[in-house]
DNA sequence: CGGCGGGTTGAGTCGCATCAACATGCGTGG
DNA sequence: CCACGCATGTTGATGCGACTCAACCCGCCG
C-alpha cells in the first residue's frame, strides 16, 4: 500500500515515479507517539516539519481562560506546518489524538528538493493550499453553521479526506476516533451539546456513529443538511499520475 | 511615505534597498474600485495576485442558506492570495469595503522574483505565515471567544496591523470603516448583537468608537479583556532594515 | 423632499452553556 | 478475581448569550 502522503498528493498534483521516490525517501517514519502526547510544544523552535504517517493528530490552542480550541485535524499524509518557512517560534501546539507515527522532514532538505523539481514544488503548494482551504472552511463553520451542521460538515469532509488516502470502506464507512470532548473543542461547542447534536444527526438516519465507527447512509442528504460543497478541497476526481519518463522543465 | 507593502514587510523580513526597489516596481497600483465592489468573482480564474495599496477589503463566502461569513480582512499592504500557486478556481470572493486601489502582480513574475532573491522569498513567506496566523486567530475567536471578546480582539489586532503601516495616530487612534453589519459577518454575530456588544465595550471605557474613528484608552486593559496575545502576528518590535550593500548568498 | 445606508432600541425566543448526576467499559493494582 | 479509578458517553434542569422581528432615528444625497 502506498504512502498516505503520496496517495493524497495524487489527488491534486502531477508527480512522476521519480518524484514519488524522492518524496518517499524524505518521508520515512521516525517516531511514534502515544495518544494525547504532544508532538511539539508551544514555543519550542525546531528544524523540521512534521508529517503524519499513521494515526490522527490535531493542532490546538489553549486560551488564558482555560478554553481550548482545536484549529486543525491532521490525518495520515498531512503536513503539520507550511513547508516554506520555519516560524521563529510555534504559537500553538500539536498533539496526538490516537497513537501516531510521524516522519520528521528536515526543513532545508524540503526546500532544496522543492527548488530542484518544479513538480514537487507544485505538489507541496497544492497541499498547502488545500490545508488552508480546510481551515478556512472550518472558520466558516464556526461562524455560520449550527451545531448539527458543523458536525455533518466535518463528517462529510473527513469522508473525502479519508477516501483520498484509502481509509474509507465501501465508500461510506470509516474510523472516527475523535472523542466527543475533542469534537467540542474542534467545533466550538460544549461536550454536552455535541452529544445532543450527534443524537439529532443520528435521528435523521443520514448517518450513524457507533463505537468509533462512522457510517454514512445518505451522502447527498448529509451534504445538503451540512451545506457542504466539496470544491474547497481542490480535489481532482481521479487520482492523476504522470508517466515516469522525462519531465520537461525539470531541474531547469 | 513608503509603500504599505514594504512598511509591513519591514516588521518581519530583512530586505535590502535593492529588494525593496524590486518589490516596489512590481507593486504599482493599477486599478481603483468603489466601496462594495467585488475585486474578483467566485470561480473566475486569473493570472495575478491582488495587493491592496489603499483602502480596506475582505474575503468572504456566502453559504447556500444566504448567510455570509467574512474570512479575512485586508488592509493596505496585504496580499489577498498566497504567492506560490494559483488555485484552479477561486472558492470565494474578495470585495472592497472602502474605496480601494490595488496592484495586480503577475503570478509568474512573483515566482521568478522569489526564486532570484532568497531574501524576497523569505519575506513573502513571512507575510504568508502571518496571514495564516491571523486567520487562525480569527477561527479561535469564532470558536471560543464571546461577542465582546471578539470585538475587542479584532480592535487590538487592527491596532497592531495598522501601526505596522503607519496608520495609527498617537499610538491609540485609527480609522475603522467597517460597518456593524460587516462586523457581524466577520465575527459570526448578528448585526443587532454587534451593536449591543459595542455599547458594552464602550461602557468599559477601555475604548471608544464614534463615527468611523476608533480610539483605545487603555490598551493593556483591552487586551486582557479580549484574551489578546500579540505573538501570533510574528512581529519584530523595531522595523528591521538591512544595509544596502551586498547580500551574501543572494542569487546563489 | 424622499429614499437609503447606517445605527439604535425593545420584545420575545431559542440555541447552546453550565452544573450535576449517572452509566458503561476498561485497565490496574491489591 | 474483584474493587476501584478513569475515560467516555448520556441525561436532566436551569440560565444566559445571541438571534429574530420590528420599529425608529439620523445624516446624506439625489
Amino acid at each position: 500500500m502506498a504512502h498516505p502522503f503520496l496517495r493524497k498528493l495524487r489527488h491534486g498534483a502531477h508527480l512522476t515515479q521519480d518524484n514519488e521516490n524522492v518524496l518517499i525517501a524524505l518521508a520515512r517514519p521516525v517516531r511514534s507517539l502515544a495518544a494525547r502526547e504532544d508532538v511539539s510544544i508551544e514555543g519550542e523552535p525546531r528544524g523540521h516539519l512534521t508529517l503524519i504517517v499513521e494515526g490522527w493528530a490535531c493542532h490546538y490552542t489553549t486560551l488564558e481562560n482555560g478554553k481550548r480550541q482545536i484549529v486543525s485535524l491532521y490525518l495520515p499524509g498531512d503536513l503539520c506546518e507550511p513547508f516554506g518557512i520555519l516560524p521563529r517560534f510555534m504559537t500553538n501546539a500539536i498533539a496526538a489524538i490516537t497513537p501516531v507515527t510521524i516522519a520528521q522532514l528536515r526543513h532545508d532538505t524540503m526546500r532544496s528538493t522543492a527548488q530542484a523539481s518544479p513538480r514537487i514544488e507544485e505538489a507541496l503548494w497544492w497541499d498547502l493550499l488545500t490545508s488552508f482551504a480546510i481551515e478556512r472552511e472550518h472558520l466558516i463553520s464556526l461562524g455560520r453553521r449550527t451545531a448539527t451542521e458543523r458536525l455533518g460538515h466535518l463528517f462529510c469532509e473527513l469522508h473525502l479526506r479519508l477516501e483520498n488516502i484509502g481509509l474509507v470502506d465501501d465508500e461510506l464507512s470509516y474510523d472516527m476516533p475523535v472523542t466527543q470532548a475533542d469534537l467540542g473543542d474542534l467545533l466550538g461547542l460544549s461536550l454536552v451539546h455535541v452529544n445532543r447534536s450527534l443524537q439529532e444527526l443520528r435521528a435523521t438516519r443520514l448517518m450513524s456513529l457507533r463505537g468509533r465507527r462512522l457510517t454514512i447512509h445518505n451522502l447527498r442528504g448529509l451534504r445538503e443538511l451540512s451545506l457542504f460543497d466539496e470544491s474547497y478541497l481542490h480535489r481532482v476526481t481521479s487520482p492523476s499520475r504522470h508517466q515516469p519518463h522525462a519531465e520537461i522543465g525539470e531541474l531547469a
Side-chain angles (χ1 to χ4, degrees), chain A:
Chain A
M1 173 138 124
H3 197 293
F5 189 38
L6 296 183
R7 296 191 69 139
K8 181 180 63 163
L9 291 181
R10 285 180 194 155
H11 287 273
H14 306 281
L15 296 174
T16 64
Q17 187 64 51
D18 275 356
N19 294 153
E20 296 201 344
N21 292 341
V22 169
L23 285 175
I24 274 286
L26 293 178
R28 292 247 172 70
V30 299
R31 233 175 106 198
S32 291
L33 297 118
R36 316 251 127 240
E37 196 174 345
D38 271 359
V39 175
S40 77
I41 286 104
E42 185 162 351
E44 181 187 315
R46 294 153 325 141
H48 54 258
L49 310 175
T50 306
L51 172 70
I52 309 290
V53 177
E54 205 184 330
W56 293 31
C58 70
H59 197 136
Y60 69 92
T61 305
T62 310
L63 294 182
E64 301 211 347
N65 60 11
K67 289 183 182 170
R68 183 163 167 265
Q69 177 66 47
I70 295 178
V71 154
S72 203
L73 219 48
Y74 297 125
L75 310 182
D78 283 345
L79 277 169
C80 302
E81 298 101 0
F83 68 95
I85 192 178
L86 275 186
R88 301 205 180 85
F89 47 89
M90 296 281 292
T91 55
N92 21 32
I94 297 171
I97 287 180
T98 66
V100 155
T101 75
I102 62 174
Q104 296 182 322
L105 312 184
R106 283 185 53 85
H107 181 254
D108 42 12
T109 342
M110 272 314 254
R111 250 178 114 153
S112 55
T113 309
Q115 249 158 32
S117 160
R119 278 221 165 101
I120 289 183
E121 189 182 11
E122 202 73 39
L124 292 175
W125 271 106
W126 172 81
D127 186 51
L128 190 58
L129 195 73
T130 71
S131 302
F132 297 146
I134 288 169
E135 271 191 45
R136 217 163 239 196
E137 198 66 27
H138 186 186
L139 187 157
I140 294 166
S141 272
L142 297 187
R144 290 303 187 202
R145 278 188 257 256
T146 67
T148 55
E149 286 165 3
R150 290 180 209 183
L151 282 163
H153 191 277
L154 174 68
F155 296 145
C156 289
E157 179 185 301
L158 288 175
H159 177 246
L160 280 186
R161 289 173 66 187
L162 290 169
E163 194 166 72
N164 279 350
I165 53 172
L167 292 184
V168 171
D169 300 329
D170 305 326
E171 300 189 353
L172 49 72
S173 178
Y174 57 85
D175 277 329
M176 218 298 295
V178 184
T179 66
Q180 293 185 359
D182 285 337
L183 283 175
D185 286 341
L186 179 65
L187 301 177
L189 301 168
S190 71
L191 193 167
V192 175
H193 201 61
V194 166
N195 184 290
R196 289 184 172 128
S197 305
L198 275 175
Q199 291 176 42
E200 219 176 286
L201 258 189
R202 280 189 278 242
T204 64
R205 313 214 134 269
L206 298 173
M207 50 139 285
S208 58
L209 175 58
R210 289 197 325 277
R212 292 273 129 99
R213 193 84 191 161
L214 192 144
T215 308
I216 297 178
H217 301 119
N218 179 345
L219 182 58
R220 165 176 292 218
L222 189 60
R223 287 184 170 184
E224 267 172 28
L225 174 132
S226 319
L227 307 164
F228 182 85
D229 173 358
E230 77 170 86
S231 60
Y232 72 95
L233 288 169
H234 295 276
R235 202 169 76 119
V236 175
T237 40
S238 67
S240 63
R241 177 77 164 285
H242 271 228
Q243 302 308 316
H245 58 55
E247 287 178 60
I248 295 143
E250 186 81 23
L251 298 171

